[in-house]
Amino acid sequence: MSEASEPPEPPKHADPTEASTPHGPLPRLLEAVLGVGVDPELRATLQHIVDTAAELTDARHASLEATTPGHDEGGGGGGPTEFHTAEPPSAGQAALSPLSRLDVPVRVRDDAYGVLRLTGKRDGGDFTDEDEQLVRVLATQAGIAIGNARLHETARQRERWIEGAAAVTTALLTGETAADALMTVAERARMLADASAGVILQPTDEGGMEIVTASTPDDPAGLVGTTIEPGSAVLEQLLGGEPVFVDDSATDPRMTTQVRHRFGPSMLLPLQAGGRLIGTLALPRRRGDRPYTSVEQLLATQFASQAALALVLADARQRRERLAVFEDRDRIARDLHDLVVQRLFATGMMLESTQRRTADEEQDPEVHAMLGRAVEELRSTVQEVRTTIFALQQPPADAPTTFRGKVLRETAGAAAALGFQPSVQFTGPVDARLPAPVATRLLTALRAALAAATHRTGTTHVTVSIDATTTLPDGRPGVRLTVFDDGEREATAEAEADNEPATGTGTGTTVTWQSPLRTHP
């Protein structure tokens, strides 16, 4: 009689919480969880999570795939959004059973990020509930790692933009010109935003906006001078000081410039401080580049506000410096007039008195002539000092480029001393006909004549006439300058060998200067 056999025990299912060997699911899961954040590189951490998911579940293929377009794991840093491991699934394996594929969502806080996906077990079986629990833990850790990385990247971005704004402020307050200041803002913003170009637009007299500064590593051809014409849909927002964010400049109907097809995502940010709109900072990216995140939009907007304030402060500083220069020039002019000119004039009067006395007493005629020459030298010196005083009283602004502009600048400067604006008349194409040496000599003569007119008593009217169609007595074509004022006449001398002398009447003085248009045959 055989012994009764005992019934076999039912098979036990593996429980990851009861594993006791170093190779069991729990230690490996703990190792994966504790390893999150150890590697400072997020990509390496996520790859480690994917590898661990495949290992713990014995999956042939595992991947972490982002499902939100335009958002990567670094919070706006670009790069791949998928991590793979093990063998790619074949079409046949993927269709074996619904349980041969396991998808677990990855969430970053309350936002969906993507899917941790496993496909096909190596032994051909299905994924179990225990596999799903393990993968959910790993998906949670992946979400935490991504969230922390986004916080870290946001902090780094904020730090870079703050440092950039501080650098721009420092640069603008060190004495840059207006054009250099705008370029500094455009270039620094372009680098911070990782943009294809940084451009600044300013309002035009016609009511539009024009690109006045452009910073780009690419070909800048066609950027500077590009205008947004009145009537554009985006113009009202820009002139109103509102930021504009564009997903694709080439296709957005609000964008109307001729260069829009070169760019994709873009930010147009107001440069506005104290209610004053300086212009607009535009930061376009290339077509196909990732869009700007909300964090980047916020940081760039704050940068633009800080840059606008720095531009206003720099402009105020430059105005104070120009005012200091004006005051210094005025002080020097007053000192020259009150001290030097008066002393020279007094010395001349004494010499004239001595000259008359020597003539009455029939002294040595050579001494008489020497005194006369000394008096003339003093008169000439007084005239030159007065011309210098007049030049010092002119605003040290950017010099005009045309001859007409230079003449008008001289007369405008004289208006400040005269109390009225001299009248100016041009005959003939003075800008085209006057060679530079002749124009320079004419301006010197004009400056001297105006300086003399400002110091004559009773001057209420000054007329300046420049005729570039004059024919000189020897038949050569020439130019003639005539300056008339109605003040009391002073004794004057001829200016140059080929110039006519000043003439005077009881009602005014006319100074005439002329020169051939060509100084060499």
Side-chain angles (χ1 to χ4, degrees):
M1 188 172 178
S2 62
E3 297 180 358
S5 61
E6 297 180 0
E9 296 182 1
K12 295 183 179 180
H13 295 285
D15 186 349
T17 62
E18 296 179 358
S20 58
T21 67
H23 303 290
L26 184 57
R28 282 180 290 171
L29 178 61
L30 289 176
E31 180 184 351
V33 171
L34 294 175
V36 173
V38 173
D39 194 322
E41 175 59 43
L42 176 65
R43 299 171 190 271
T45 298
L46 296 182
Q47 186 65 58
H48 176 64
I49 290 175
V50 172
D51 293 341
T52 303
E55 180 184 357
L56 292 178
T57 61
D58 197 28
R60 290 181 177 274
H61 178 263
S63 65
L64 175 60
E65 303 173 6
T67 57
T68 304
H71 293 276
D72 57 68
E73 70 281 356
T81 58
E82 296 188 7
F83 296 87
H84 301 275
T85 188
E87 302 173 8
S90 65
Q93 290 173 333
L96 287 177
S97 166
L99 297 179
S100 65
R101 173 170 165 170
L102 179 61
D103 289 351
V104 176
V106 177
R107 303 185 67 84
V108 180
R109 295 180 177 83
D110 295 330
D111 299 328
Y113 172 82
V115 175
L116 183 56
R117 175 169 295 159
L118 289 83
T119 308
K121 280 212 170 191
R122 294 183 182 276
D123 60 6
D126 296 333
F127 290 107
T128 66
D129 292 342
E130 295 165 357
D131 293 330
E132 182 177 356
Q133 292 174 8
L134 290 172
V135 176
R136 287 189 181 279
V137 172
L138 292 173
T140 300
Q141 295 307 308
I144 293 173
I146 295 169
N148 290 340
R150 286 182 174 177
L151 290 175
H152 179 65
E153 178 61 23
T154 298
R156 289 180 57 194
Q157 285 183 337
R158 188 179 301 277
E159 181 181 1
R160 288 196 297 267
W161 281 96
I162 291 175
E163 290 177 352
V168 165
T169 301
T170 301
L172 298 188
L173 296 180
T174 55
E176 291 188 342
T177 64
D180 291 339
L182 293 178
M183 178 57 75
T184 297
V185 173
E187 187 168 353
R188 179 64 67 135
R190 175 184 64 80
M191 293 187 293
L192 288 170
D194 191 25
S196 174
V199 302
I200 291 182
L201 303 93
Q202 291 186 320
T204 64
D205 295 336
E206 294 76 20
M209 295 197 87
E210 178 183 4
I211 296 178
V212 297
T213 301
S215 168
T216 175
D218 303 325
D219 182 13
L223 287 181
V224 175
T226 300
T227 59
I228 301 177
E229 298 297 335
S232 171
V234 77
L235 186 61
E236 184 176 349
Q237 290 178 267
L238 297 181
L239 293 177
E242 299 179 24
V244 176
F245 304 106
V246 178
D247 291 333
D248 187 357
S249 298
T251 59
D252 194 304
R254 296 175 296 174
M255 307 299 287
T256 59
T257 64
Q258 61 185 10
V259 297
R260 67 186 185 280
H261 63 277
R262 296 168 54 176
F263 303 112
S266 183
M267 296 187 289
L268 296 92
L269 311 169
L271 292 170
Q272 187 172 252
R276 174 187 172 190
L277 180 65
I278 301 172
T280 296
L281 170 63
L283 298 169
R285 284 177 171 164
R286 297 180 184 87
R287 294 209 68 186
D289 282 0
R290 63 180 179 82
Y292 286 105
T293 65
S294 58
V295 172
E296 290 174 320
Q297 293 174 357
L298 174 62
L299 294 176
T301 302
Q302 293 172 344
F303 172 88
S305 298
Q306 180 68 24
L309 179 59
L311 287 169
V312 171
L313 293 176
D315 181 65
R317 181 191 56 77
Q318 292 175 355
R319 289 176 181 272
R320 288 195 300 270
E321 290 180 354
R322 285 196 295 268
L323 180 59
V325 171
F326 292 154
E327 293 174 347
D328 218 21
R329 290 162 66 99
D330 287 342
R331 178 185 57 78
I332 295 172
R334 287 195 304 271
D335 290 346
L336 285 174
H337 180 269
D338 296 342
L339 301 177
V340 179
V341 172
Q342 291 184 12
R343 290 180 180 179
L344 289 174
F345 186 75
T347 303
M349 294 290 289
M350 288 188 292
L351 288 175
E352 285 183 339
S353 177
T354 304
Q355 184 185 31
R356 287 194 297 269
R357 204 176 307 142
T358 57
D360 294 341
E361 297 175 359
E362 298 183 356
Q363 297 289 333
D364 187 348
E366 188 173 335
V367 174
H368 182 77
M370 188 180 300
L371 289 172
R373 288 195 297 273
V375 170
E376 290 301 321
E377 286 292 333
L378 281 175
R379 287 176 177 172
S380 178
T381 301
V382 168
Q383 187 64 31
E384 291 177 1
V385 172
R386 284 178 172 174
T387 302
T388 302
I389 293 172
F390 175 75
L392 285 171
Q393 292 171 336
Q394 309 312 302
D398 294 338
T401 57
T402 65
F403 176 76
R404 288 174 181 262
K406 293 175 181 178
V407 170
L408 294 175
R409 178 183 176 183
E410 296 295 338
T411 56
L418 292 168
F420 60 88
Q421 179 68 43
S423 62
V424 183
Q425 179 179 357
F426 298 94
T427 302
V430 293
D431 286 324
R433 298 197 65 183
L434 266 64
V438 175
T440 300
R441 292 168 54 205
L442 188 151
L443 288 171
T444 301
L446 172 62
R447 195 176 296 119
L450 291 173
T454 60
H455 290 90
R456 274 193 270 273
T457 305
T459 302
T460 61
H461 180 72
V462 175
T463 301
V464 176
S465 175
I466 299 176
D467 187 355
T469 63
T470 296
T471 300
L472 301 181
D474 58 3
R476 290 182 296 172
V479 59
R480 182 187 298 271
L481 165 69
T482 304
V483 180
F484 169 80
D485 71 88
D486 60 356
E488 295 181 7
R489 182 174 180 262
E490 295 178 351
T492 58
E494 296 183 8
E496 295 187 41
D498 57 357
N499 290 347
E500 297 180 8
T503 60
T505 65
T507 58
T509 301
T510 300
V511 176
T512 304
W513 180 97
Q514 62 184 21
S515 170
L517 293 178
R518 294 185 180 180
T519 55
H520 300 285

